[in-house]
Amino acid sequence: LRARVTGQVVSRSGLPLPGALVNVQMVLHETAHGSSTLGGSAVRTDDAGRFELVDVPRADLVLSVGGEDVIPERFAIAPHEPDEGHRL
């Protein structure tokens, strides 16, 4: 397990996005047509747009970001990538 995955959700202009929903999913199987994922935990960003997910598997992950006034977006994280400081 990764101890945690942390980061910050920002707008296109670089401003923090408080209250955005960050969801982590583990990629089980990937093909040219898409992927199968297993859902995990979700958290909301704090006033500075920061988030922390704990007890996340060390696997291929997809972080999904959504919420009010947020265009839904997905970000892939490979097992060898750092656990902290993701800017979404």
Side-chain angles (χ1 to χ4, degrees):
L1 286 177
R2 297 172 192 253
R4 61 191 188 142
V5 174
T6 67
Q8 183 181 36
V9 178
V10 295
S11 68
R12 290 177 190 225
S13 61
L15 298 174
L17 288 174
L21 184 65
V22 179
N23 181 14
V24 64
Q25 297 176 323
M26 185 172 62
V27 177
L28 300 175
H29 180 72
E30 196 162 1
T31 69
H33 303 289
S35 60
S36 298
T37 58
L38 178 64
S41 59
V43 295
R44 292 222 176 253
T45 57
D46 66 13
D47 290 340
R50 292 183 303 252
F51 66 89
E52 178 180 21
L53 296 155
V54 295
D55 297 333
V56 178
R58 184 163 297 281
D60 286 319
L61 303 174
V62 173
L63 295 181
S64 301
V65 179
E68 192 174 320
D69 298 328
V70 176
I71 297 170
E73 195 83 46
R74 292 169 53 100
F75 302 88
I77 300 177
H80 64 276
E81 290 187 61
D83 298 341
E84 300 182 11
H86 297 281
R87 194 165 168 97
L88 312 177

